[in-house]
Amino acid sequence: MANEAKPCPCDIGDRMEYGGLGQEVQIEHTKAYLVKPSNASDKAIIVIQDIYGWQLPNTRYMADMLAANGYIAVCPDFYVGKEPWSPSHDWSKFEEWLENKKPTNINKELDAVLRFLKEQCGAKHVGAVGFCWGGVATHYLALQYPEVKAGVSVYGIVREREDRYELKSPTLFIFGEKDHVIPLDQVSVLEAKLKEKCTVDYQVKIFPGQTHGFVHRKREDINPAERPSIQEARTDMLNWLNKYM
């Protein structure tokens, strides 16, 4: 691993066999992927998985990218050993699968991770980045955990809470214009309600022509035309974290 090139926000291919630069660790009752920057840091990012789970190479690559930019990055198994979704699964069973994996029911895991980062990693500033399922979870953290100083929710919205617009920490929301999972009308409502009710900094950004999953699924090698949007979104993510942490 020592000789492996470190990732940068702009140079990521669609290599599902990517092994990662970090290591798997046990954090109380669950496991996590942990990667540290080359220089000591007291800033940490909780990277929250999509429906395909904490071991998805694409998500681990994003954690490595954050570490290459100076952050301790940890990607916990928020499903706590339960089977993640798979592209081969029957989508008609998705709601049933989701029933015991709610992105707003992660307090036990999040508390354990915060203890780990503080006590074992020396983290004094913590942020969160999440994708899809993890984007919803990141929005949830912004409502419930003011000690999480900054959040980047990538294609995810909390829909069922009354207080969902009352953010406690600065949050960047990233969406794709052609995301069939989160239509633009839902994004427009989010933006309007945040403007009305939110008292901390936030930004809602829509990327023209992009679909669900564009930021972290490494499609720039499949369609070079998408590379600028992917680069821009990742740069926005880093700039947001750098600003508020």
Side-chain angles (χ1 to χ4, degrees), residues 142-164:
L143 302 172
Q144 292 289 303
Y145 285 86
E147 63 265 46
V148 176
K149 297 301 183 185
V152 181
S153 171
V154 189
Y155 22 85
I157 299 176
V158 170
R159 292 184 171 95
E160 67 274 15
R161 293 179 62 94
E162 288 292 324
D163 66 346
R164 60 190 179 273

Side-chain angles (χ1 to χ4, degrees), residues 12 18 27 89 92 101 131 136 180 186 190 202-203 223 233:
I12 299 180
Y18 178 76
I27 300 180
H89 287 177
S92 68
K101 303 176 190 72
F131 307 92
V136 181
H180 69 279
Q186 294 183 16
L190 172 70
Y202 69 88
Q203 183 181 355
N223 182 355

Side-chain angles (χ1 to χ4, degrees), residues 2 28 31 49 88 90 95 117-118 130 148 188 190 229:
E28 298 186 20
K31 293 182 178 180
Q49 68 210 41
S88 63
D90 180 354
E95 291 300 326
L117 290 173
K118 180 181 178 181
V148 176
S188 297
L190 172 70
S229 291

Side-chain angles (χ1 to χ4, degrees), residues 2-238:
N3 295 325
E4 224 174 307
K6 292 198 172 182
C8 75
C10 307
D11 183 22
I12 299 180
D14 201 354
R15 298 182 295 276
M16 288 300 293
E17 72 276 12
Y18 178 76
L21 302 177
Q23 60 182 326
E24 293 187 4
V25 297
Q26 189 74 32
I27 300 180
E28 298 186 20
H29 64 289
T30 195
K31 293 182 178 180
Y33 174 76
L34 175 69
V35 59
K36 294 184 178 181
S38 54
N39 296 318
S41 175
D42 62 0
K43 297 180 179 182
I45 305 297
I46 302 169
V47 181
I48 309 181
Q49 68 210 41
D50 64 12
I51 59 174
Y52 300 108
W54 72 294
Q55 293 179 310
L56 185 74
N58 296 354
T59 304
R60 293 190 173 194
Y61 202 95
M62 298 302 289
D64 290 353
M65 187 198 81
L66 288 162
N69 282 275
Y71 294 98
I72 301 162
V74 61
C75 181
D77 177 12
F78 281 102
Y79 298 163
V80 196
K82 301 185 190 81
E83 184 183 8
W85 189 253
S86 167
S88 63
H89 287 177
D90 180 354
W91 280 100
S92 68
K93 303 286 182 64
F94 180 75
E95 291 300 326
E96 180 183 336
W97 170 86
L98 187 63
E99 192 57 39
N100 65 351
K101 303 176 190 72
K102 297 290 188 185
T104 53
N105 187 26
I106 59 172
N107 295 65
K108 183 178 179 182
E109 290 70 49
L110 201 282
D111 291 343
V113 171
L114 287 173
R115 282 191 293 270
F116 172 81
L117 290 173
K118 180 181 178 181
E119 297 169 8
Q120 303 297 321
C121 300
K124 296 179 180 178
H125 312 276
V126 179
V129 172
F131 307 92
C132 178
W133 187 96
V136 181
T138 300
H139 184 178
Y140 173 72
L141 295 192
L143 302 172
Q144 292 289 303
Y145 285 86
E147 63 265 46
V148 176
K149 297 301 183 185
V152 181
S153 171
V154 189
Y155 22 85
I157 299 176
V158 170
R159 292 184 171 95
E160 67 274 15
R161 293 179 62 94
E162 288 292 324
D163 66 346
R164 60 190 179 273
Y165 307 113
E166 298 168 15
L167 304 176
K168 304 293 193 300
S169 54
T171 306
L172 168 64
F173 294 87
I174 292 174
F175 300 100
E177 179 193 22
K178 297 184 177 179
D179 188 338
H180 69 279
V181 179
I182 305 176
L184 282 182
D185 60 338
Q186 294 183 16
V187 178
S188 297
V189 169
L190 172 70
E191 193 163 21
K193 292 292 187 180
L194 286 173
K195 185 175 182 180
E196 177 186 341
K197 298 185 177 185
C198 186
T199 59
V200 299
D201 285 351
Y202 69 88
Q203 183 181 355
V204 176
K205 186 165 181 176
I206 300 167
F207 283 79
Q210 298 303 314
T211 57
H212 195 76
F214 78 99
V215 177
H216 79 302
R217 298 237 177 100
K218 300 189 285 190
R219 290 165 46 214
E220 58 267 63
D221 283 0
I222 296 174
N223 182 355
E226 295 183 330
R227 178 184 285 267
S229 291
I230 296 170
Q231 289 178 349
E232 183 179 342
R234 291 172 178 169
T235 300
D236 289 344
M237 175 183 73
L238 290 167

